[in-house]
Amino acid sequence: MSISELTTYSTIIIETFHEEGGTGTGFFFDFNDADLGNTDKLIIVTNWHVIENSSTEQLIFTKIDNTGKPIDTEHLTIVLDNFESLWIPHPNHEVDLAILPIKSILHQIPENFYFGAFDRSHIPTKEGLENLCAIEEVTMIGYPHGIWDESNNKPLIRKGITATNPRLDYCGEKEFLIDIACFLGSSGSPVLIYNVGQYLDGADNHYFVSYRIVLLGILYSARYYTSEGKIKVVKIPAKKKQISMTDIPLNLGTVIRAERILDFEKYI
């Protein structure tokens, strides 16, 4: 399987059940560097605000056949009660992240499932971050407005650029901005650098590679232009009707740096 196709198995749709309904994006991350594919240290990452105050939600996994290949059109739909209590919030409650260890719900998943997971090697080191260009093309994977390929359990792929220098902490926070369409349902989407064939680094050195994937971070908020002529920053909601119809998206998203995921390792 190509790396681009494998990446489309890295996310999972999170659906809520309540009067308004809603969707969010989660993605798989594996802390088990020595045995990738083992679910002991496999987690789902999303924003805390996606699952906050949710009592019942569902996750939709892709089935796997006896040869290890995904069965795209056959799904495992898992309904989970007391949903918020299953998630672990980031130790710094000002960081809008949460994780769900797969081992905690494995007894509720009746069959094995197929997934593609990011791991530590995809998160840029300090040196790797310093070698990034001031302007990078980015790819975002998720479920904007709850739109997805329901038959094949596949997310949508969107493309944009960094709106602030990805090497720098935007306004002193471990965040940066991207110029990309951001809608409800996109919260929790992984934001990547995805290069095929070649790329330039921050010093304009030219590299030829088969591919390069860098997990830069996780989308969590966007900016809107209101009818009163003001700009407001909102966490991209999972629930519908939480953004006024008169608010105009500026297509500027705020991304939490991927290194924040590593803060969860001691809880796994």
Side-chain angles (χ1 to χ4, degrees), residues 181-183 222-225 243 245-252:
C182 309
F183 297 99
R223 281 157 174 74
Y224 287 80
Y225 187 78
I243 295 178
M245 293 295 291
T246 59
D247 291 347
I248 303 171
L250 292 177
N251 292 345
L252 286 174

Side-chain angles (χ1 to χ4, degrees), residues 8-255:
T8 66
Y9 292 97
S10 66
T11 61
I12 186 166
I13 189 167
I14 301 171
E15 296 188 309
T16 61
F17 296 99
H18 43 68
E19 184 178 349
E20 295 178 350
T23 58
T25 300
F27 64 90
F28 296 104
F29 188 90
D30 198 344
F31 278 110
N32 198 336
D33 302 329
D35 187 14
L36 296 177
N38 185 321
T39 57
D40 285 351
K41 294 188 177 182
L42 181 68
I43 61 174
I44 296 174
V45 181
T46 193
N47 297 134
W48 174 254
H49 79 260
V50 169
I51 55 90
E52 188 177 16
N53 299 322
S54 295
S55 59
T56 303
E57 301 201 13
Q58 72 177 18
L59 304 172
I60 302 177
F61 298 86
T62 296
K63 287 188 178 183
I64 190 171
D65 67 18
N66 56 12
T67 68
K69 295 180 180 179
I71 310 174
D72 290 333
T73 56
E74 295 188 23
H75 311 148
L76 295 168
T77 300
I78 311 302
V79 178
L80 299 170
D81 296 321
N82 301 313
F83 194 67
E84 180 184 326
S85 66
L86 298 173
W87 292 77
I88 301 171
H90 191 276
N92 179 347
H93 293 300
E94 293 184 0
V95 178
D96 189 8
L97 288 179
I99 64 165
L100 175 63
I102 290 294
K103 63 184 178 183
S104 69
I105 62 167
L106 204 56
H107 63 288
Q108 299 187 62
I109 307 176
E111 302 177 40
N112 291 331
F113 58 92
Y114 192 87
F115 64 92
F118 300 105
D119 60 58
R120 229 182 306 253
S121 69
H122 296 110
I123 297 177
T125 62
K126 182 179 180 180
E127 180 183 3
L129 201 61
E130 291 173 350
N131 286 333
L132 294 179
C133 295
I135 303 172
E136 293 275 4
E137 288 190 349
V138 293
T139 298
M140 186 171 72
I141 309 172
Y143 308 92
H145 271 297
I147 302 171
W148 57 305
D149 180 352
E150 297 180 38
S151 296
N152 296 295
N153 195 19
K154 289 292 189 297
L156 301 188
I157 317 297
R158 313 204 79 160
K159 198 167 186 178
I161 62 170
T162 52
T164 62
N165 190 325
R167 301 193 301 262
L168 305 178
D169 290 341
Y170 177 69
C171 291
E173 302 293 336
K174 290 188 180 297
E175 302 172 352
F176 61 94
L177 301 187
I178 56 174
D179 184 350
I180 202 167
C182 309
F183 297 99
L184 61 89
S186 297
S187 279
S189 292
V191 176
L192 318 172
I193 294 175
Y194 173 62
N195 303 124
V196 178
Q198 57 184 320
Y199 69 91
L200 294 175
D201 67 10
D204 289 339
N205 296 309
H206 197 175
Y207 296 88
F208 292 94
V209 294
S210 55
Y211 69 88
R212 178 179 70 147
I213 289 183
V214 180
L215 178 60
L216 285 182
I218 307 96
L219 182 76
Y220 85 99
S221 74
R223 281 157 174 74
Y224 287 80
Y225 187 78
T226 71
S227 58
E228 292 82 16
K230 299 179 180 179
I231 294 175
K232 66 178 181 181
V233 181
V234 298
K235 293 179 178 179
I236 305 170
K239 302 174 185 177
K240 299 175 182 177
K241 300 180 182 178
Q242 288 195 349
I243 295 178
S244 168
M245 293 295 291
T246 59
D247 291 347
I248 303 171
L250 292 177
N251 292 345
L252 286 174
T254 310
V255 180

